[in-house]
């Protein structure tokens, strides 16, 4: 199923490619809703497509490759999953999700829901989504963004990262945090971001290869120059490494669940982040000065590489966890840990 999904996703996201704006793509969102990609891993009984994490990996890699301007990770892997796990109904439309520890939550008048005050910091796609699933201490909140103030912000790729200001906002949909959420939420976010990184790296190298074959210098395409060939080969190896790590992590999740796959996810996010730096550097070197212009398509993927590598945990953060797990496993347990064997 993943191969067919990848082909469909590449067609959907490729057709929506647009370098003239960084705003939320409402038309693309309609398409991903109609094709069942928006809530791919949500169970069918909850309104989703019932897909696997490996299926989501195929879709998210394609979304990263074509710089899709829609909140797929936030809607499917995070918000829809969290709300469903907490026993809350999953609303339609684009969603976001965040963790907040500084909210004031008081019982609402009449005992239905809660009155919430505080600020949700750097909510992905905050201005574009209809609701945000919030993991707040021991509670899960579904917050309607129409009742929140919006202080617009953005990451390096100019994707919305907005502060949502809540002033005694009455929230009707409140539930206790499911026990799995505290462990699983950051792992889901990291894997989703790693898959987007792997896709963006693939997209950047594809652009560089195409440019190198078209750009003629000294009477021949620059792709014929040994230095360019070596650089593109190195970038291709980085793309392959990121793809191998992220796809392996997705398979581990399908087999054992997110908690058991935490080592593979940590390695995937760290490796995809490392690849992001190398690929962005090499592809800009191949393009030369033109690749740094705002009008050039390359910036759509490289700015995402630079932004996403630090979101949901940097390489240093996840490498620290890889190292801790390796030390915990000890000499006898290291090889089984690396290979996934008993």
């Amino acid at each position: 199923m993943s191969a067919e999904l990848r082909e469909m996703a590449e067609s959907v996201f490729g057709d929506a490619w647009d370098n003239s704006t960084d705003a939320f793509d409402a038309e693309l969102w309609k398409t991903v809703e109609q094709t069942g990609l928006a809530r791919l891993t949500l169970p069918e009984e909850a309104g989703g497509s019932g897909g696997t994490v490996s299926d989501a990996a195929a879709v998210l890699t394609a979304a990263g490759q074509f710089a899709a301007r829609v909140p797929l990770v936030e809607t499917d892997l995070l918000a829809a999953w969290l709300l469903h796990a907490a026993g809350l109904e999953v609303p339609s439309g684009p969603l976001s999700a965040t963790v907040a520890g500084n909210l004031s939550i008081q019982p609402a008048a009449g005992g239905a829901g809660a009155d919430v005050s505080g600020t949700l910091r750097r909510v992905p796609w905050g201005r574009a989504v209809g609701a945000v699933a919030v993991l707040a201490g021991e509670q899960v909140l579904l917050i309607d963004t129409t009742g929140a103030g919006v202080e617009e912000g953005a990451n390096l790729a100019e994707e919305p990262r907005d502060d949502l200001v809540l002033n005694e906002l009455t929230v009707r949909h409140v539930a206790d945090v499911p026990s799995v959420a505290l462990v699983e939420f950051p792992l889901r976010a990291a894997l989703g971001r790693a898959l987007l990184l792997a896709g963006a790296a693939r997209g950047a190298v594809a652009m560089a290869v195409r440019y190198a074959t078209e750009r003629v210098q000294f009477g021949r395409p620059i792709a014929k120059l040994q230095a360019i060939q070596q650089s593109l080969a190195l970038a291709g190896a980085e793309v392959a490494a990121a793809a191998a790590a992220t796809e392996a992590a997705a398979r581990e999740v399908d087999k054992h669940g997110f908690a058991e796959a935490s080592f593979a996810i940590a390695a995937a996010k760290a490796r995809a982040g490392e690849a992001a730096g190398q690929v962005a550097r090499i592809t800009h070197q191949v393009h030369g000065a033109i690749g740094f212009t705002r009008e050039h398509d390359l910036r759509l993927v490289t700015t995402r590489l630079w932004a996403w590598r630090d979101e949901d945990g940097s390489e240093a953060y996840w490498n620290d966890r890889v190292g801790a797990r390796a030390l915990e496993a000890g000499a006898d347990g290291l090889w089984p840990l690396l290979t996934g064997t008993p």
Side-chain angles (χ1 to χ4, degrees):
M1 182 178 179
S2 295
E4 289 123 354
L5 270 175
R6 185 186 299 277
E7 184 178 349
M8 180 178 71
E10 288 178 353
S11 174
V12 168
F13 298 131
D15 289 344
W17 181 272
D18 183 1
N19 70 356
S20 65
T21 178
D22 290 286
F24 170 74
D25 192 335
E27 287 301 315
L28 175 57
W29 184 259
K30 289 180 183 178
T31 302
V32 298
E33 287 270 24
Q34 292 167 357
T35 54
L37 301 181
R39 290 163 178 75
L40 183 61
T41 62
L42 189 66
E44 293 182 18
E45 62 270 19
S49 299
T52 66
V53 174
S54 292
D55 293 333
V59 174
L60 290 172
T61 301
Q65 179 179 354
F66 294 102
R69 293 176 286 110
V70 288
L72 282 174
V73 171
E74 294 79 8
T75 298
D76 183 29
L77 288 186
L78 298 179
W81 158 78
L82 180 60
L83 295 171
H84 179 61
L88 296 173
E89 184 177 351
V90 180
S92 60
L95 306 172
S96 191
T98 190
V99 177
N102 60 342
L103 296 180
S104 171
I105 305 174
Q106 302 296 331
D115 290 333
V116 182
S117 296
T119 301
L120 303 177
R121 302 290 183 186
R122 294 186 64 79
V123 177
W125 301 95
R127 77 196 72 159
V129 300
V132 178
V134 181
L135 186 57
E138 297 180 354
Q139 293 179 301
V140 174
L141 312 173
L142 176 59
I143 293 179
D144 186 339
T145 57
T146 58
V150 179
E151 296 177 358
E152 294 189 358
N155 63 12
L156 187 62
E158 299 182 356
E159 293 179 305
R161 297 293 184 264
D162 303 324
D163 290 350
L164 301 183
V165 181
L166 315 176
N167 185 17
E168 294 186 357
L169 179 68
T170 300
V171 177
R172 297 301 182 191
H173 302 285
V174 182
D176 293 335
V177 169
S179 58
V180 69
L182 297 177
V183 172
E184 195 164 321
F185 189 96
L187 295 173
R188 284 175 165 269
L191 180 57
R193 200 66 56 193
L195 289 162
L196 290 173
L197 278 167
R202 187 170 72 182
V205 171
M207 288 184 197
V209 170
R210 184 167 61 248
Y211 178 79
T213 59
E214 295 171 350
R215 176 74 168 94
V216 176
Q217 195 172 39
F218 306 117
R220 58 176 179 168
I222 64 172
K224 297 292 186 180
L225 300 175
Q226 186 176 19
I228 297 294
Q229 292 174 351
Q230 290 174 336
S231 293
L232 289 175
L234 177 58
E238 292 293 321
V239 170
T246 53
E247 290 170 9
R251 290 193 299 270
E252 282 297 298
V253 172
D254 285 335
K255 290 179 182 178
H256 307 294
F258 275 90
E260 289 298 317
S262 60
F263 180 79
I265 293 170
K269 182 59 167 70
R271 190 62 187 88
E274 182 180 349
Q278 293 290 340
V279 168
R281 176 181 61 82
I282 291 169
T283 55
H284 274 290
Q285 287 176 341
V286 170
H287 279 83
I290 193 173
F292 286 93
T293 61
R294 184 172 183 81
E295 292 75 16
H296 201 281
D297 287 350
L298 183 63
R299 65 104 183 168
L300 294 175
V301 285
T302 55
T303 55
R304 281 167 169 78
L305 289 172
W306 289 321
W308 290 341
R309 69 185 298 190
D310 289 329
E311 292 186 337
D312 301 307
S314 65
E315 294 107 281
Y317 177 89
W318 289 109
N319 275 323
D320 182 66
R321 274 138 188 81
V322 169
R325 283 291 304 278
L327 290 173
E328 181 183 338
D332 293 335
L334 181 58
W335 183 249
L337 178 65
L338 293 175
T339 59
T341 56

